[in-house]
Amino acid sequence: MATAALETAVDQAALLEFLLRIGDNALILGHRVSEWCGHSPALEEDIALANTALDLIGQTQLWLGLAGEVEGKGRSADDLAYLRDGYDFRNILLVERPNGDFGKTLMRQFLFDAWHYLLLKALKGSTETRIAEIAEKAFKEVSYHLDRSRDLVIRLGDGTAESHRRMQEALDDLWPYTGEMFAADAVDAALVEAGIIPEPQSLKAGWDEIVAEALAEGTLKKSADGYMHKGGRRGVHTEHLGFILSEMQFLQRAYPGATW
Amino acid sequence: MYAQMVKTDAARVRSLDEMDPVERAFQERVDAGQKIEPKEWMPEGYRKTLVRQISQHAHSEIVGQLPEGNWISRAPTLERKAILLAKVQDEAGHGLYLYCAAETLGISRDQMYEQLHSGKAKYSSIFNYPTLTWADIGAIGWLVDGAAIMNQVPLQRCSYGPYARAMVRICKEESFHQRQGYDALMCMVKGTPAQKAMVQDALNRWWWPSLMMFGPSDDASVHSAQSMAWKIKQNSNDELRQKFVDQTVPQAKYLGLTVPDPDLKWNEEKGGHDFGEPDWEEFFNVIAGNGPCNAERLEARKKAWNDGAWFRDGLTAHAEKAADRRAAAKIAAE
């Protein structure tokens, strides 16, 4: 049934592209978050971050697994994660930003979670059953991610002068990477047309609202909307992605064909 | 064994007749297998010994995140990455229960951290060894968690209630950890010659440090005798080590690996293996801070703590502000 649904008239190349975008976001952010394991400022944070990373890796398995099916060349989620080079990755630049201090990690998470939450909420109503099913599961997890990251952004924004300064700095540094979440191209247009995904711009108002409320409560000042960096969604990344991949893919590259 | 060579402050184990009535009543309850709970009277030495042991155990879980965390970003498949993340997360959770159990004895988590960072409190020697290949992650699950289970199963019957109860949940999770480690190695030994060689190399490096986890022979140790009298400890180090070797050798054989001990052989008469003596000089060196990773492990923990000070201060300040606002709102409403 599910396979039949995927064999409709929808542009399969566009569908694949979308699945790589959403799957790579989860993979790369999951990787970044997992870098904190054992190094975070409080034991409770180690546990919570590992949980977030675990959810994101689980979502990666589902999205990239489906991407492999849609592609129809027999590639598994692992093949896609471990055997593509940077130019084939489709994640937005925001998720590959280095962790920085814990404040920057939390701010990146919040800015992403607010968007991810709205995207998944919309995808639950996708005309593509398999996408709707994955979104249903991921939405529950991401609702919790957003509760947590929003709460911490508020508390640290309205904490000490030092925590406020760090959160404001994190926000200003990351802001230019938020525009890419709402960018649209021909891939999006084809899938929006088929009712598979929401119009990217349609998420902007909701995102603005979630972000503005949290920033206000956390006494943080919204950054000025200036130049927005883009490129990840079409495979043009920052220098950071190559290092993530060389670490992540080391064993698969060093021992080709081995089973782990 | 995540707690090694825990001191008790005892010069010798005293008999019931030498105790005053309160202590005697305590000892009789312990002897009868009853649990001691936080608010009940206990000898000061019992309390201190438990704080040492439980905090050492908690610190081991926390420091233990580091050698395994070292490979999360390089795990070879999404599934292995998820399993490893879940395992390291469990360890942080174990640390949390154990710090809470120790807190019932009148010490705070911050004080315990302070003792870890200053070097006053120890953690298990095993976590001062490096994880050099992916096979080390499997080997830690199989051997290190296997050795920990040997020690922790009897601790479920420990006389101190909160510690015993924490151990019940921890043991369940440790048993999953051990299985996943063995499973990862099984997959590798069935793989390419390079993978199999990687597993053998891991066993060569982790075998002896795993045997050292139980600590040197404590048959003559007054601390062990006292801990046993208090039912904080149930078995001697040698007993547990023997049990571990007897359990693990057939598993190594099943994996097609060679245990790196020329003296290892089955002794029909005792119904167990004879095996060589670990290098105790190396063990004492690691305990003294000279292991391959002691400096890095402690530095990593101190850095996490120090770098995170602003985060913890920020949350505390916010909680105080929020409380003030609630109080002000209440006054305004009245």
Side-chain angles (χ1 to χ4, degrees):
Chain A
M1 184 195 82
T3 316
L6 293 172
E7 284 168 3
T8 53
V10 176
D11 183 345
Q12 295 297 292
L15 193 55
L16 171 62
E17 189 73 6
F18 165 75
L19 291 168
L20 292 176
R21 286 173 178 178
I22 193 165
D24 289 345
N25 280 339
L27 174 61
I28 301 302
L29 186 60
H31 180 97
R32 276 293 191 223
V33 172
S34 76
E35 290 173 358
W36 275 102
C37 214
H39 301 276
S40 77
L43 193 44
E44 287 80 354
E45 292 307 311
D46 269 331
I47 295 173
L49 283 187
N51 208 50
T52 303
L54 207 46
D55 287 343
L56 290 168
I57 298 305
Q59 292 170 20
T60 304
Q61 288 174 295
L62 297 173
W63 291 126
L64 293 186
L66 185 55
E69 281 181 44
V70 167
E71 186 190 42
K73 292 182 184 166
R75 289 206 283 182
S76 65
D78 280 337
D79 291 335
L80 291 170
Y82 292 93
L83 298 174
R84 280 178 301 155
D85 203 343
Y87 45 74
D88 283 331
F89 272 75
R90 295 292 184 261
N91 58 280
I92 55 174
L93 302 180
L94 177 70
V95 297
E96 67 194 54
R97 298 306 299 155
N99 285 339
D101 69 5
F102 204 67
K104 192 175 271 190
T105 293
L106 288 174
M107 185 59 81
R108 182 185 61 199
Q109 191 70 40
F110 169 63
L111 296 171
F112 180 80
D113 287 344
W115 171 74
H116 202 198
Y117 169 88
L118 294 168
L119 174 62
L120 291 169
K121 195 174 178 183
L123 289 175
K124 289 199 296 173
S126 172
T127 52
E128 192 55 81
T129 321
R130 294 281 295 274
I131 287 180
E133 283 168 359
I134 298 172
E136 190 76 47
K137 178 184 185 294
F139 179 73
K140 287 186 194 127
E141 296 166 348
V142 170
S143 302
Y144 166 75
H145 300 174
L146 175 60
D147 277 349
R148 188 181 159 277
S149 62
R150 176 171 50 195
D151 178 57
L152 285 169
V153 163
I154 292 169
R155 292 202 278 159
L156 293 167
D158 185 24
T160 59
E162 170 72 358
S163 71
H164 177 87
R165 180 188 67 76
R166 286 177 185 257
M167 297 313 283
Q168 186 65 56
E169 214 170 274
L171 178 66
D172 295 341
D173 281 358
L174 294 168
W175 194 257
Y177 294 92
T178 58
E180 197 176 15
M181 297 190 284
F182 309 102
D185 58 15
V187 169
D188 298 294
L191 300 178
V192 169
E193 173 73 25
I196 292 174
I197 67 166
E199 163 68 46
Q201 267 297 326
S202 71
L203 305 176
K204 181 76 163 61
W207 184 83
D208 279 341
E209 196 183 321
I210 294 173
V211 170
E213 271 180 23
L215 295 185
E217 205 180 326
T219 70
L220 296 165
K221 193 166 159 280
K222 190 184 161 218
S223 311
D225 275 320
Y227 182 78
M228 289 289 171
H229 295 284
K230 292 186 189 69
R233 279 162 42 97
R234 53 187 169 86
V236 181
H237 290 272
T238 64
E239 290 178 348
H240 302 290
L241 184 69
F243 291 97
I244 292 176
L245 297 186
S246 59
E247 197 172 330
M248 186 170 85
Q249 299 179 337
F250 157 65
L251 283 165
Q252 291 284 356
R253 300 291 191 183
Y255 302 91
T259 303
W260 303 91
Chain B
M1 184 178 296
Y2 285 176
Q4 294 162 326
M5 303 174 70
V6 176
K7 290 205 173 73
T8 59
D9 295 344
R12 64 185 179 83
V13 179
R14 294 181 310 140
S15 70
L16 286 175
D17 292 338
E18 295 171 275
M19 295 174 188
D20 65 39
V22 182
E23 186 177 356
R24 186 181 170 127
F26 165 87
Q27 187 63 51
E28 282 172 347
R29 287 184 59 206
V30 169
D31 292 344
Q34 290 176 20
K35 294 278 180 258
I36 305 302
E37 296 301 333
K39 291 201 171 109
E40 295 170 345
W41 185 89
M42 61 186 77
E44 187 53 16
Y46 176 82
R47 192 189 68 79
K48 278 192 183 164
T49 301
L50 278 169
V51 168
R52 281 191 199 112
Q53 174 154 339
I54 301 173
S55 67
Q56 196 182 116
H57 193 160
H59 295 328
S60 298
E61 299 282 0
I62 298 313
V63 177
Q65 293 182 92
L66 299 170
E68 291 181 281
N70 185 35
W71 278 87
I72 289 176
S73 61
R74 289 177 289 173
T77 67
L78 294 169
E79 192 185 355
R80 293 285 175 207
K81 194 198 277 279
I83 292 171
L84 185 55
L85 264 167
K87 177 178 191 294
V88 178
Q89 185 191 29
D90 282 351
E91 276 148 17
H94 297 173
L96 197 55
Y97 314 145
L98 289 163
Y99 284 126
C100 291
E103 281 180 324
T104 64
L105 293 159
I107 185 167
S108 72
R109 206 201 299 179
D110 284 3
Q111 283 172 309
M112 288 184 266
Y113 279 151
E114 166 58 32
Q115 291 176 352
L116 172 67
H117 298 157
S118 70
K120 188 181 166 219
K122 301 287 183 209
Y123 55 87
S124 177
S125 55
I126 196 74
F127 300 117
N128 290 311
Y129 289 88
T131 49
L132 303 178
T133 71
W134 174 251
D136 289 16
I137 299 306
I140 287 182
W142 173 37
L143 301 171
V144 175
D145 293 318
I149 291 169
M150 279 299 160
N151 174 246
Q152 289 169 189
V153 165
L155 279 175
Q156 297 176 96
R157 300 191 310 273
C158 165
S159 62
Y160 189 58
Y163 192 30
R165 288 188 290 271
M167 220 42 74
V168 173
R169 177 154 177 196
I170 290 177
C171 280
K172 281 186 195 143
E173 292 178 350
E174 292 291 2
S175 130
F176 150 73
H177 296 171
Q178 191 189 20
R179 279 202 305 275
Q180 68 78 35
Y182 196 73
D183 177 70
L185 296 181
M186 182 62 83
C187 184
M188 292 174 73
V189 297
K190 285 186 193 155
T192 66
Q195 284 177 296
K196 191 168 176 189
M198 206 188 279
V199 178
Q200 180 65 54
D201 168 67
L203 177 61
N204 294 349
R205 283 180 291 106
W206 289 93
W207 175 256
W208 292 110
S210 298
L211 294 195
M212 290 177 203
M213 284 176 70
F214 298 94
S217 180
D218 60 350
D219 293 344
S221 160
V222 65
H223 300 303
S224 289
Q226 179 63 73
S227 276
M228 281 186 179
W230 280 332
K231 294 209 175 133
I232 292 174
K233 190 178 167 86
Q234 319 264 349
N235 309 86
S236 78
N237 294 349
D238 286 333
E239 268 169 18
L240 292 170
R241 187 169 15 249
Q242 180 72 50
K243 226 174 142 183
F244 175 74
V245 170
D246 291 339
Q247 175 188 286
T248 310
V249 168
Q251 295 171 344
K253 198 172 282 174
Y254 192 72
L255 289 171
L257 302 175
T258 308
V259 173
D261 178 358
D263 297 326
L264 181 75
K265 61 173 188 296
W266 178 254
N267 180 332
E268 191 60 51
E269 205 176 311
K270 77 171 180 186
H273 292 86
D274 290 333
F275 53 95
E277 194 69 27
D279 179 353
W280 293 112
E281 195 185 326
E282 174 180 315
F283 172 78
F284 285 109
N285 256 310
V286 174
I287 292 281
N290 300 321
C293 298
N294 291 61
E296 282 164 73
R297 299 286 185 250
L298 204 52
E299 197 46 47
R301 288 310 310 163
K302 284 199 273 193
K303 185 175 186 313
W305 184 249
N306 294 334
D307 288 357
W310 72 269
F311 170 84
R312 298 187 301 274
D313 292 347
L315 294 188
T316 308
H318 180 81
E320 283 165 5
K321 282 185 198 178
D324 288 350
R325 280 196 286 262
R326 276 195 301 275
K330 200 177 162 206
I331 289 165
E334 278 166 3

